[in-house]
Amino acid sequence: MFKRLTLLVAAGALATACASSPAAGPVATSPATPAASTAPVTVTVANLAATTAWVAEENLIPDDPVLALVAATNGSTDSPQGIVITCNAANGGTVVKLGKQLRTRVGETATYRVRTGAGLQEVEGKFQANAKSGDADFIFPIRQADLLALSQLDMVSVLSDTGEVQWALVKDVSAKPQAKYIASLKDMPKQATDFVAYCNPK
């Protein structure tokens, strides 16, 4: 479930000058060495923005409704491109499976952050093995209202617990955000609406 993340912005400067002994002549100064950045550098592994879209599938009982990122041309939810959202039609519970995660983290829990414009929202989930892909999925619950809201945005980014931008979903396929994986929001507004309709407990 999403929780509002309070952002604390702190700005300040620390300047300390010390001289252990006076110099006889002019003191030579060296340029300040820039501080090393602690934020991880995100390198794009795959840009799927131009080749992906979203598809919802009703999947009648005993299967569950699915909303998946698929290949834009004749894509199937049986072959998702890294993100699958499922619904338990019996109770309306909705879960996101964010793929292409490190298999070494299977069994761990973590808190990721979803960036929506200027805001950040926390999502708490767990890593599970993905038998088809061989890597892991980060799985977390999401409210249907939040899913519908996300589907209307121009860009959505997902940051890992280490600060790496894991995924970026973009409306404009020419956009090149900093993210490990970039995918499209194509067709998501309508498909998310259909998915929620399929998801309502029967």
Side-chain angles (χ1 to χ4, degrees), residues 20 23 27 54 57 59 68 86 95 103 115 119 127-128 139 150 179:
S20 58
V27 178
W54 288 85
E57 199 168 83
N59 291 339
T86 61
V95 173
R103 190 175 179 85
R115 179 185 292 140
F127 295 92
Q128 292 184 8
I139 300 178
L150 291 177

Side-chain angles (χ1 to χ4, degrees), residues 49-62:
T51 60
T52 51
W54 288 85
V55 170
E57 199 168 83
E58 188 167 11
N59 291 339
L60 300 177
I61 294 174

Side-chain angles (χ1 to χ4, degrees), residues 34-114:
S37 174
T38 57
V41 176
T42 302
V43 177
T44 299
V45 174
N47 187 339
L48 311 172
T51 60
T52 51
W54 288 85
V55 170
E57 199 168 83
E58 188 167 11
N59 291 339
L60 300 177
I61 294 174
D63 295 322
D64 291 322
V66 171
L67 175 64
L69 179 70
V70 301
T73 305
N74 300 321
S76 167
T77 59
D78 292 330
S79 301
Q81 300 299 298
I83 306 176
V84 177
I85 303 169
T86 61
C87 167
N88 184 332
N91 59 26
T94 308
V95 173
V96 178
K97 295 180 180 180
L98 190 71
K100 303 185 184 297
Q101 306 296 303
L102 293 176
R103 190 175 179 85
T104 54
R105 300 205 66 180
V106 169
E108 294 180 15
T109 58
T111 300
Y112 275 28
R113 292 176 296 166
V114 178

Side-chain angles (χ1 to χ4, degrees), residues 167-187:
W167 281 89
L169 304 176
V170 296
K171 184 175 181 180
D172 179 1
V173 298
S174 67
K176 291 181 172 56
Q178 183 188 48
K180 195 170 181 180
Y181 299 99
I182 305 170
S184 177
L185 284 166
K186 182 180 178 182
D187 300 330

Side-chain angles (χ1 to χ4, degrees), residues 6 18 20 40 59-60 89-90 105 122 130 151 161 187 195 197:
T6 303
C18 296
S20 58
N59 291 339
L60 300 177
R105 300 205 66 180
E122 289 185 338
N130 185 314
S151 75
D161 53 346
D187 300 330
F195 171 73

Side-chain angles (χ1 to χ4, degrees), residues 126-178:
K126 184 174 183 177
F127 295 92
Q128 292 184 8
N130 185 314
K132 289 184 177 180
S133 65
D135 50 26
D137 294 329
F138 179 66
I139 300 178
F140 59 92
I142 185 172
R143 295 186 310 165
Q144 292 181 17
D146 289 327
L147 175 61
L148 290 174
L150 291 177
S151 75
Q152 301 293 327
L153 299 174
D154 291 337
M155 183 181 299
V156 179
S157 300
V158 182
L159 288 72
S160 73
D161 53 346
T162 64
E164 180 181 54
V165 186
Q166 286 280 314
W167 281 89
L169 304 176
V170 296
K171 184 175 181 180
D172 179 1
V173 298
S174 67
K176 291 181 172 56
Q178 183 188 48

